[in-house]
């Protein structure tokens, strides 16, 4: 299962929304580019005036000097305006990209955990890295360049028409060739370059496999097979490169022709018009110069088309993440008490393959229940259901009579929390790291939570106390300190029931004793379900549930189960007697 990809309509709507949000900045950028382009267009028109003046004998040298000065001023103005326009475009690009990234992060943070797990983190990671990178490239460099090139191209055509519409019509001579050639190329270039990239990956894989496995290849006489594999990869790479080269070998000459054709047509057509008296030599010169000036912006626009295609694909993958459906809809019911019950819970990851076959557990408020059993028996799955992360396939897990999956997520976490290996320190202040668990918590609340987990002393000793910046780039915390922060978050979250998956829990077996003490203080007064992978945890629990093949086989206190002489008694005897 992969995360969704946004439709073209959604991508367009998002782009429109981004443009609307940055309307002000966009207008400034467009205005600057327009002014710069206008300044740049003065040249040909002025040269035309000089030519007509000189050939007509109406212009003397003083006049030429003045026009030359105006020309110089226009060039200086163009340079200055272009600089500011480019700068503002870059700022705009960064702004757009920042909003996009912020929205994306907010979406990712809201994603249902079950979806992320089902899709695997690889897909999400590719979208947060490669795709964001690709969009960033397009937005940062593409948007400014496209704006400049677009505005310049349009204004150049406008200027030519202002000089002489009849002559300017000739500028469009190259359009048919350009349109046909570009469409032909774009249709083939995307798949062509993708195939080329894939062939690099295949060849790289084949070669490194050969090198890494050289002993195996020799031992099993696989050399001929391996050689033909590498040969095939090489052939594919050569063919794919030939293909894109062939595309370029047609496309570039075609664009060159479509760029030069207008100049020739303007001159020939212009000569005819001069002969019939409909245009002056100066006007034809000016329009021909405009036709030549048009080449570079149009060329630039075409070269960005490819990039835009890649960027749009990446954008649709980024926006698509927002299309993940909610995995729960709050019903608005409020739990009557803190009593957590699982009744006849079944669960199947894949349809028809049940891993839990009707588990019922009634947790007494404040009790400590250990779940033990062989690996693969369904302990972790049960833990996730009891923490409300996934909905059971059938049966229900409730708190105070309300199904866990019917509670809004924020609310759910204040009832039941799954404790995982939260060693992660977020970049930010210590206060930021803590208030993630309870936004808006006062500083005294934060301090109290830190005191519970014995962390207040070292935090107070930090250069800026709660406001010390930690995480990468800031103060680096020790693993024990990071664990204490995670525990303090749990104190702030204050759920009455904790599901502790020992395999991934905070309880690092090598953890210092004081950390364990802090942990115990956090567990105090709460209902705890501990998925035990070590039997001594089970021994200390009020009750023990032995899970085997998706069933609760035995349920009772340590003494009861040992006395009963079942599976647990056996496990205990072998573990306790046989040395650990
Ligand atoms: P335990 O925690 O007791 O080791 P689990 O709850 O992790 O057991 O696994 C129970 C069964 O469910 C196993 O057969 C395991 O292969 C299967 N299982 C666990 N996670 C997944 C998953 N994400 N997709 C498919 N099957 C899974």
């Amino acid at each position: 299962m992969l995360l969704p990809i946004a439709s073209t309509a959604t991508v367009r709507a998002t782009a429109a929304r981004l443009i609307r949000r940055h309307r002000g900045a966009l207008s400034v950028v467009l205005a600057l580019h327009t002014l710069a382009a206008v300044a740049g267009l003065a040249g040909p028109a002025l040269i035309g005036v000089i030519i007509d003046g000189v050939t007509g004998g109406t212009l003397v040298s003083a006049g030429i000097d003045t026009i030359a000065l105006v020309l110089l001023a226009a060039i200086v103005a163009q340079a200055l305006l272009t600089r500011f326009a480019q700068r503002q475009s870059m700022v705009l690009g960064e702004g757009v990209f920042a909003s996009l990234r912020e929205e994306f992060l907010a979406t990712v943070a809201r994603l249902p955990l079950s979806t992320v797990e089902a899709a695997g983190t690889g897909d999400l990671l590719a979208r947060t890295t490669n795709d964001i990178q690709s969009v960033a490239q397009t937005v940062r460099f593409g948007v400014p360049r496209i704006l400049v090139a677009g505005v310049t191209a349009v204004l150049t055509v406008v200027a030519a028409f202002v000089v002489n519409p009849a002559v300017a019509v000739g500028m469009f001579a190259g359009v048919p060739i350009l349109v046909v050639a570009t469409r032909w190329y774009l249709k083939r270039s995307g798949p062509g370059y993708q195939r080329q990239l894939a062939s690099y990956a295949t060849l790289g894989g084949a070669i490194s496999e050969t090198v890494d496995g050289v002993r195996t290849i020799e031992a099993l006489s696989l050399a001929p097979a391996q050689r033909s594999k590498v040969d095939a990869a090489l052939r594919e790479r050569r063919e794919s490169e030939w293909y894109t080269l062939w595309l370029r070998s047609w496309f570039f000459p075609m664009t060159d022709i479509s760029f030069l054709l207008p100049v020739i047509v303007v001159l020939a057509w212009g000569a005819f018009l001069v002969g019939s008296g409909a245009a002056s030599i100066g006007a034809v010169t000016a329009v021909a110069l405009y036709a030549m000036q048009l080449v570079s912006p149009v060329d630039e626009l075409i070269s960005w088309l490819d990039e835009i295609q890649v960027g749009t694909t990446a954008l649709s993958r980024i926006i698509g993440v927002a299309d993940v459906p909610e995995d729960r809809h709050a019903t608005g019911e409020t739990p009557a008490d803190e009593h957590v019950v699982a009744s006849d819970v079944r669960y199947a990851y894949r349809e028809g393959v049940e891993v839990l076959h009707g588990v019922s557990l009634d947790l007494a408020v404040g009790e400590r229940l250990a779940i033990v059993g062989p690996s693969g028996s369904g302990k972790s799955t049960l833990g996730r259901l009891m923490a409300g992360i996934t909905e059971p396939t059938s049966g229900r897990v409730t708190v105070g009579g309300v199904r866990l999956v019917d509670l809004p997520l924020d609310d759910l976490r204040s009832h039941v929390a799954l404790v995982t290996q939260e060693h992660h320190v977020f970049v930010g202040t210590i206060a930021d790291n803590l208030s993630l668990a309870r936004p808006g918590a006062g500083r005294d609340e934060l301090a109290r939570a830190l005191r519970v987990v014995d962390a207040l002393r070292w935090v107070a000793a930090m250069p800026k106390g709660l406001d010390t910046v930690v995480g990468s780039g800031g103060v680096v915390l020790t693993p024990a300190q990071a664990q204490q922060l995670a525990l303090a978050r749990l104190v702030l979250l204050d759920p009455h029931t904790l599901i502790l998956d020992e395999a991934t829990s905070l309880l690092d077996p090598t953890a210092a004793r004081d950390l364990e003490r802090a942990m115990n203080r956090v567990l105090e007064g709460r209902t705890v379900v501990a998925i035990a992978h070590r039997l001594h945890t089970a021994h200390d629990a009020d009750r023990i549930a032995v899970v085997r093949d998706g069933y609760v086989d035995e349920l009772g206190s340590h003494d009861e189960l040992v006395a009963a002489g079942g599976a647990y008694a056996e496990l205990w005897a072998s573990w306790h007697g046989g040395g650990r």
Side-chain angles (χ1 to χ4, degrees):
M1 194 197 108
L2 285 181
L3 296 169
I5 290 171
S7 66
T8 319
T10 316
V11 173
R12 275 208 202 108
T14 306
R17 190 164 44 74
L18 283 173
I19 289 174
R20 238 175 292 129
R21 185 178 318 156
H22 297 273
R23 212 172 7 205
L26 190 64
S27 323
V28 171
V29 167
L30 277 177
L32 282 170
H33 281 311
T34 308
L35 287 175
V38 168
L41 292 170
L46 291 175
I47 290 172
V49 170
I50 293 179
I51 290 176
D52 281 346
V54 172
T55 49
T58 52
L59 201 61
V60 290
S61 76
I64 295 178
D65 287 349
T66 320
I67 293 176
L69 275 180
V70 173
L71 195 57
L72 186 67
I75 290 170
V76 172
Q78 186 198 9
L80 287 176
L81 284 166
T82 304
R83 185 210 170 266
F84 282 110
Q86 297 250 19
R87 188 178 175 284
Q88 287 311 111
S89 307
M90 293 298 242
V91 172
L92 172 67
E94 290 297 329
V96 171
F97 179 52
S99 351
L100 203 61
R101 202 159 38 177
E102 274 164 16
E103 273 176 31
F104 178 64
L105 196 65
T107 313
V108 169
R110 261 201 319 268
L111 276 186
L113 192 53
S114 56
T115 311
V116 178
E117 286 182 345
T121 43
D123 189 17
L124 195 57
L125 211 59
R127 295 186 192 214
T128 45
T129 52
N130 299 350
D131 291 330
I132 283 276
Q133 198 59 39
S134 159
V135 170
Q137 166 78 9
T138 312
V139 170
R140 281 190 178 139
F141 303 106
V143 169
R145 298 309 305 161
I146 287 166
L147 279 177
V148 179
V151 170
T152 311
V154 169
L155 287 182
T156 308
V157 173
V158 169
F161 270 85
V162 168
V163 170
N164 189 321
V167 185
V169 173
M171 289 176 92
F172 295 117
V175 171
I177 302 177
L178 195 62
V179 169
V180 171
T182 306
R183 291 180 75 119
W184 176 86
Y185 176 74
L186 284 184
K187 212 166 95 195
R188 288 163 183 77
S189 65
Y193 285 113
Q194 256 161 30
R195 181 180 155 201
Q196 195 175 312
L197 283 180
S199 80
Y200 292 178
T202 315
L203 181 62
I207 291 176
S208 68
E209 181 188 283
T210 313
V211 174
D212 290 345
V214 66
R215 278 171 214 283
T216 319
I217 290 168
E218 270 177 10
L220 301 179
S221 311
L222 293 174
Q226 203 61 26
R227 196 172 305 134
S228 67
K229 203 167 162 186
V230 172
D231 280 348
L234 262 175
R235 205 172 316 118
E236 168 62 11
R237 173 160 179 179
R238 192 179 54 233
E239 275 167 22
S240 66
E241 290 206 12
W242 265 110
Y243 180 70
T244 54
L245 184 64
W246 175 74
L247 288 179
R248 289 191 299 271
S249 73
W250 277 104
F251 180 57
F252 290 144
M254 281 299 152
T255 52
D256 280 345
I257 289 174
S258 66
F259 289 152
L260 281 177
L261 197 61
V263 183
I264 298 168
V265 169
V266 163
L267 286 177
W269 169 238
F272 169 76
L273 289 177
V274 170
S276 66
S280 65
I281 296 178
V284 175
T285 312
V287 174
L289 287 175
Y290 283 134
M292 286 170 71
Q293 276 196 4
L294 198 55
V295 172
S296 111
V298 172
D299 200 20
E300 176 129 34
L301 282 177
I302 291 173
S303 72
W304 277 106
L305 286 178
D306 248 348
E307 194 92 21
I308 293 275
Q309 269 188 328
V310 177
T312 315
T313 313
L315 187 60
S316 65
R317 286 164 51 79
I318 291 171
I319 301 172
V321 176
D323 290 344
V324 172
E326 293 279 336
D327 70 339
R328 63 194 70 219
H329 293 282
T331 53
E333 294 168 89
T334 33
D337 52 35
E338 303 184 346
H339 188 181
V340 176
V341 183
S343 30
D344 197 25
V345 165
R346 291 163 188 274
Y347 191 75
Y349 285 98
R350 268 161 300 159
E351 214 170 301
V353 191
E354 232 178 48
V355 297
L356 290 179
H357 314 282
V359 170
S360 296
L361 282 175
D362 188 333
L363 300 181
V365 172
E367 87 164 320
R368 203 174 282 204
L369 175 83
I371 299 181
V372 299
S375 134
S377 55
K379 300 184 296 293
S380 300
T381 308
L382 182 59
R384 295 160 44 77
L385 295 180
M386 297 203 60
I389 290 175
T390 22
E391 190 176 344
T393 313
S394 79
R396 35 198 269 139
V397 183
T398 55
V399 55
V402 181
R403 290 189 338 140
L404 294 183
V405 289
D406 287 342
L407 292 169
L409 264 187
D410 295 347
D411 209 19
L412 170 65
R413 293 290 159 250
S414 67
H415 293 288
V416 185
L418 180 71
V419 181
T420 53
Q421 199 154 17
E422 285 268 19
H423 292 177
H424 191 72
V425 177
F426 296 90
V427 176
T429 64
I430 292 179
D432 291 339
N433 265 280
L434 293 176
S435 43
L436 281 175
R438 195 193 293 172
R443 295 175 73 86
D444 49 334
E445 273 179 279
L446 302 186
R448 211 174 310 132
L450 285 172
R451 185 170 316 120
V452 172
V453 299
D454 285 332
L456 190 58
R457 204 157 343 115
W458 65 257
V459 170
M462 288 267 168
K464 288 186 181 164
L466 273 172
D467 298 318
T468 310
V469 174
V470 293
S472 73
V475 174
V476 177
L477 299 181
T478 66
Q481 289 173 329
Q483 289 194 3
Q484 281 175 318
L485 281 193
L487 283 175
R489 272 204 287 268
L490 216 49
V491 172
L492 285 166
L493 198 57
D494 197 25
H496 54 70
T497 302
L498 285 173
I499 316 288
L500 219 63
D501 194 338
E502 220 175 51
T504 60
S505 80
L506 290 163
L507 277 181
D508 174 352
T510 61
R513 198 157 283 259
D514 44 347
L515 202 58
E516 201 149 330
R517 217 169 35 230
M519 183 73 185
N520 283 331
R521 222 170 301 146
V522 174
L523 298 186
E524 222 170 74
R526 301 181 207 274
T527 313
V528 177
V529 177
I531 298 166
H533 295 264
R534 290 173 298 152
L535 276 185
H536 89 254
T537 320
H539 174 263
D540 297 339
D542 298 317
R543 283 195 301 165
I544 298 157
V546 181
V547 177
R548 284 219 293 192
D549 298 331
Y551 293 99
V552 173
D553 250 12
E554 298 171 21
L555 182 63
S557 72
H558 173 80
D559 294 339
E560 283 166 11
L561 292 187
V562 169
Y568 179 79
E570 233 169 81
L571 267 177
W572 177 255
S574 70
W575 181 76
H576 209 235
R580 308 173 189 179

